[in-house]
Amino acid sequence: MRKNIFNLKYPFLYQRKLSIFLVCIDYFIFKIFLNSFAYLQYPVINSYLFCLIWVIFNYIFSQYMIIKIFNFKNIIKKFFTSQLANFCVHFLYFLLALLSFFEFFNIDKIMEIFISSISISFICCFYRVLIMYMTRLKNRKYKIFGYWGSEEDLKEINNLYLNNINYKFKLILINYDNFNSIFNKVHKIITPTNFQFNKNLVKNLPPNSFKIEDKFLDLTNWSEYILQRLPTVIIKNDKNILSNLRLIKYKLSYKIKNLVEFIISLFLLILFIPIIILFGFLIKIEDGGPVFYSQKRSGLNGKIFYVYKLRSMKINSEKNKAVWSYIGDTRVTKIGKFLRKSRIDEIPQLLCVLKGEMSLIGPRPERPEFDEMLSKKIKNYNMRNLIKPGISGWSQVSYPYGASVNDAEIKLSFDIYYIRNFSLLFDFLIFFKTIRLVLRLENSQPLMKS
């Protein structure tokens, strides 16, 4: 059994500890508000469910996302979006009340509820911003990690982690020669896989040397903790990871996942039928071409299957060869731009989930032409095909639309991380992150212009 970061069973939750804390506090504060102001009357919906809806809308409007730069503009933006979330919550409530033909509303009662909700929304946002600021002050200093290896390895690792913006840290080189002088200065000592520390090679061990073993952390686990992904350059020599990845499909939780996703997909497909009909009509009006588009993709163990989409490109736009999409892609139709940005074009892929060819959550299926090319250029690329591909996945919610070999390699690191850390809780997190990205129209555009 692998050693977890600071005894965490779910590494993907570590950087979200503050957000989870804010969610819990928000829920209880709003629950207290409902109980304390019972005279306002929220009888149409259960109070526990109403609190959950409150949290979900605040999550969608990024109220639990940490403010990276504290300035007047970002703080005002936080308060403004907080009130937007509050407005959506109560708009939904009043709509449910009307649909339920509930007859207790008058203009005074509506204004009383709405003004009170503005107050509680302001209070919740104020405490969130305050906690974020206090946490920032506490963690404003860089944590220092020691890296056990060569200077060349250290340079490569620094370049690898350079773009990480979620965690402040710096790496310094440590070895047997400078161990005594650096040991008490570093937070953790990062080591290559299968590294064995030899105390006998260190002269005059530090007074607290009995804690030495607890201070060592292998590079693989540290990558999960810091990057929330597993770059292939890190795991290329870790045979245990590569072998353990193959065991996921035998987990009971993975079998439960397949059953639950079948039920959810059937429900969503029925729910989205009006949307499919509406946009199918708009696609037909624009150029008279077919509404749906099928495309070959690589699935479980590389097996070829067809995905179905609402057509977002012009007719015969890829008659010569398969080409990655890019910024300003002229092949995309006018209605297709919105379909792609909102990801509505992906809805028909729910049929693939019902057929057992795809999952709701998993590595995004790639086209066979690209798969063949990428497997030659990226080591262990085919490891992403160990499980069924997904409509959404960890790489989709963590990285923009991929349209290059470099993008594919970065996305692979997220996919391998997902497979290694698979759990129903992880799927639950990705599902809600997907909803937020879809509603905010984010992460759907390529990084490359051509």
Side-chain angles (χ1 to χ4, degrees), residues 40 104-116:
L40 293 178
F104 87 104
F105 286 119
N106 56 55
I107 190 63
D108 292 334
K109 181 63 67 176
I110 291 175
M111 289 305 298
E112 190 176 20
I113 291 176
F114 196 65
I115 291 173
S116 298

Side-chain angles (χ1 to χ4, degrees), residues 195-360:
F195 172 81
Q196 295 293 327
F197 178 72
N198 189 345
K199 287 185 180 182
N200 297 325
L201 295 179
V202 179
K203 296 179 180 179
N204 302 319
L205 287 171
N208 55 347
S209 59
F210 62 91
K211 293 183 179 180
I212 284 181
E213 286 76 11
D214 294 335
K215 208 156 188 173
F216 281 93
L217 192 65
D218 72 65
L219 187 58
T220 300
N221 282 327
W222 189 68
S223 178
E224 291 183 300
Y225 168 53
I226 297 294
L227 278 189
Q228 307 266 285
R229 61 186 177 96
L230 285 169
T232 52
V233 69
I234 287 178
I235 66 169
K236 62 183 178 183
N237 297 320
D238 196 330
K239 295 181 180 179
N240 288 330
I241 286 185
L242 299 179
S243 59
N244 289 338
L245 290 178
R246 303 179 188 277
L247 301 178
I248 179 177
K249 50 191 169 187
Y250 300 110
K251 289 184 176 181
L252 176 61
S253 56
Y254 188 72
K255 295 176 181 179
I256 294 174
K257 163 192 169 79
N258 291 330
L259 176 60
V260 172
E261 286 188 337
F262 179 88
I263 297 171
I264 293 176
S265 298
L266 183 60
F267 170 76
L268 290 177
L269 193 60
I270 296 172
L271 181 67
F272 289 140
I273 283 177
I275 295 177
I276 294 174
I277 293 173
L278 171 63
F279 283 97
F281 179 69
L282 294 176
I283 291 169
K284 202 72 178 176
I285 288 178
E286 182 170 358
D287 61 12
V291 171
F292 297 100
Y293 176 68
S294 63
Q295 195 176 69
K296 286 183 179 180
R297 293 292 173 99
S298 298
L300 179 65
N301 298 322
K303 183 180 178 181
I304 304 301
F305 71 102
Y306 283 90
V307 296
Y308 309 103
K309 292 185 175 185
L310 287 169
R311 184 172 59 85
S312 61
M313 284 190 172
K314 297 174 183 176
I315 303 170
N316 297 324
S317 58
E318 289 190 333
K319 60 182 178 181
N320 297 322
K321 65 175 183 177
V323 179
W324 268 314
S325 186
Y326 52 88
I327 296 176
D329 195 337
T330 55
R331 299 170 299 166
V332 181
T333 63
K334 292 179 181 179
I335 189 64
K337 290 178 181 178
F338 177 78
L339 289 174
R340 288 188 162 206
K341 200 165 187 178
S342 62
R343 293 181 173 84
I344 291 175
D345 62 322
E346 310 280 1
I347 292 176
Q349 290 176 37
L350 292 169
L351 285 171
C352 297
V353 180
L354 295 179
K355 290 169 65 178
E357 296 169 331
M358 289 183 69
S359 295
L360 287 178

Side-chain angles (χ1 to χ4, degrees), residues 41 54 72 110 126 148 158 161 169 185 210 290 293 302 346 349 410 418 423 425 429:
Q41 298 181 37
W54 166 269
F72 181 77
I110 291 175
F126 177 79
W148 198 290
N158 267 318
Y161 294 111
F169 67 94
K185 297 179 181 179
F210 62 91
Y293 176 68
E346 310 280 1
Q349 290 176 37
I410 293 174
Y418 168 75
S423 70
L425 179 61
L429 170 66

Side-chain angles (χ1 to χ4, degrees), residues 77-124:
K77 182 180 178 181
K78 210 72 171 176
F79 278 92
F80 177 72
T81 52
S82 173
Q83 293 301 337
L84 280 179
N86 172 59
F87 174 80
C88 291
V89 169
H90 284 82
F91 177 80
L92 177 64
Y93 173 73
F94 289 128
L95 182 63
L96 288 173
L98 289 173
L99 293 176
S100 302
F101 301 102
F102 193 77
E103 299 179 358
F104 87 104
F105 286 119
N106 56 55
I107 190 63
D108 292 334
K109 181 63 67 176
I110 291 175
M111 289 305 298
E112 190 176 20
I113 291 176
F114 196 65
I115 291 173
S116 298
S117 70
I118 290 175
S119 301
I120 192 63
S121 180
F122 183 89
I123 292 170
C124 286

Side-chain angles (χ1 to χ4, degrees), residues 118-136:
I118 290 175
S119 301
I120 192 63
S121 180
F122 183 89
I123 292 170
C124 286
C125 188
F126 177 79
Y127 94 79
R128 287 187 218 116
V129 172
L130 181 62
I131 291 177
M132 289 178 191
Y133 183 72
M134 292 172 63
T135 303
R136 178 176 178 268

